[in-house]
Amino acid sequence: MINCRHFSGYKPCSKNSVCDDSCAQKDVPTCSLLIVHLGALGAVVRSTSLLKAIKRKYPGSMITWVTDAPAHHLLKNHPAIDRVLTTSEADLLQLATLEFEVGFVIDKSLKACGVVKRTQVDQIYGFTVQSSNGAIVPATEAAQELWELGLDNHKKFFVNQKPETQLMIEALELGEYQRDDYWLPLTESEDREARRRKEAWLAENNKSLVIGLNTGCSPVIPYKKLSVDYHRLLIERIQAKFPYAEIVLLGGPEDTIRNGLIQQGYSVISSETESGLRDGLISVAACDVVVTGDSLGMHMAISQKKQVVAWFGPTCAHEIDIYDRGFKLLTKSPCSPCWKRTCEKAIMCYDQVSLEEVIDALESCCANRLSGRSTALNPAP
């Protein structure tokens, strides 16, 4: 039984008190796989879309995923991931004891390639490093297209029309692209809390639908969020147009003060922003529709099968698949997309998002959600 995926060798098995060949939970992996994706939190959520394809190509595989903290909180308790490690030295020591038949390196970074150096991997897909000069290069020919898009802005911005989910499937040689959805399920207790939270929000003002406004974004590209004034104007329009909807402000610790400014004087709910990533995911799951920029909140909303109204300024809308659940709106700024981390323009791209387009998209999303009221809050992937 020592080859069973549930056997640790240092404590009783959680599946069965008797560890022998008669155990109905016995599960011997067919191969050991490593996923290295350290990148942005939203990108890690998006990469859960790979798991179904991985399991199709490697049925029975045992998966170890290495990521940067705090992204490991998003991946914990995932039914398809056997072990989640971070890049802490303690976790890398654990990694050094393991060997893998296959490794998927999704990040184009020296750090990700360095993680692989801490273990033994027979076959690498995605990206690797040219040790002579430290350049990141495709690990196999299949990753050439995704690699080249990172080197050519014209191709990335205007030629490519594939979503990142498809590009990753092709780069990692995971078979025919089947448009697999994100796979980030809540636990049973989290699902219960999402339902309780939604009921409480609706009961507060006797509403019938929850619209979440994801107000923030990563500081890496700070222009992926709407201004405080824009959010306040949006709240006014939503309350006038959709009197049956409760508005909930979503965000993380960096958005706490900002959400207070947005909320001031309005009858809206500000969700908890200081309780961690999983709690934020629960709040997103408790919404019916989410209005957001291209950010972690958007990827969370996609993962929870929400109706999504996502606007794009500095980044590429065609790289995001919202799986026919909502709308992608483009800024009117002529210099979009740019992927710039700093900008000094007098009129920013987030100021050039049409409020009328947001309201029209919301109208369709709310109608879709109300007509599908029997749909599970957190449907199975």
Side-chain angles (χ1 to χ4, degrees), residues 26-214:
K26 180 182 177 182
D27 186 354
V28 178
T30 57
C31 62
S32 184
L33 307 184
L34 174 67
I35 299 174
V36 181
H37 195 177
L38 317 177
L41 292 169
V44 171
V45 172
R46 177 174 57 195
S47 289
T48 61
S49 65
L50 299 172
L51 290 167
K52 288 294 182 68
I54 290 173
K55 286 298 186 180
R56 281 196 297 270
K57 184 172 181 179
Y58 304 96
S61 57
M62 186 169 187
I63 296 177
T64 297
W65 190 316
V66 180
T67 190
D68 278 331
H72 64 295
H73 294 299
L74 292 169
L75 302 173
K76 69 179 182 180
N77 299 317
H78 196 290
I81 304 173
D82 298 277
R83 183 185 294 111
V84 179
L85 300 175
T86 71
T87 52
S88 70
E89 186 59 30
D91 280 5
L92 291 178
L93 284 173
Q94 295 184 53
L95 184 67
T97 68
L98 305 174
E99 296 180 358
F100 302 92
E101 283 97 332
V102 177
F104 302 109
V105 181
I106 300 172
D107 300 67
K108 288 178 276 189
S109 75
L110 287 175
K111 184 176 180 181
C113 295
V115 168
V116 176
K117 294 289 186 181
R118 301 294 290 268
T119 187
Q120 174 65 45
V121 183
D122 296 335
Q123 174 66 57
I124 296 175
Y125 295 96
F127 302 99
T128 187
V129 63
Q130 189 168 277
S131 57
S132 60
N133 65 351
I136 303 300
V137 294
T140 69
E141 186 178 349
Q144 186 78 18
E145 181 180 12
L146 181 56
W147 180 70
E148 289 180 352
L149 288 176
L151 303 176
D152 188 327
N153 283 345
H154 178 73
K155 284 184 178 180
K156 180 178 179 67
F157 297 166
F158 307 113
V159 177
N160 172 59
Q161 292 301 311
K162 295 179 182 178
E164 190 78 6
T165 46
Q166 180 177 357
L167 289 166
M168 289 190 295
I169 289 289
E170 294 170 352
L172 301 178
E173 301 186 34
L174 289 173
E176 183 180 355
Y177 175 60
Q178 297 188 30
R179 205 187 181 195
D180 293 308
D181 212 330
Y182 293 24
W183 187 9
L184 191 64
L186 301 181
T187 65
E188 289 185 8
S189 61
E190 288 172 336
D191 189 58
R192 286 194 299 271
E193 171 57 22
R195 293 175 185 277
R196 185 208 65 77
R197 197 170 295 185
K198 180 175 184 176
E199 290 173 0
W201 288 346
L202 292 175
E204 186 159 322
N205 293 300
N206 194 29
K207 304 292 186 176
S208 57
L209 182 142
V210 178
I211 296 176
L213 301 185
N214 178 50

Side-chain angles (χ1 to χ4, degrees), residues 338-367:
C338 67
W339 278 95
K340 290 183 178 179
R341 300 190 178 192
T342 59
C343 181
E344 298 178 353
K345 293 201 176 285
I347 303 177
M348 301 295 289
C349 57
Y350 52 71
D351 292 320
Q352 300 179 65
V353 178
S354 168
L355 184 58
E356 294 304 320
E357 288 184 6
V358 174
I359 296 300
D360 288 345
L362 265 175
E363 186 170 21
S364 294
C365 286
C366 289

Side-chain angles (χ1 to χ4, degrees), residues 6-19:
H6 307 303
F7 183 82
S8 69
Y10 65 89
K11 64 180 180 180
C13 179
S14 62
K15 301 294 183 180
N16 198 329
S17 59
V18 178
C19 187

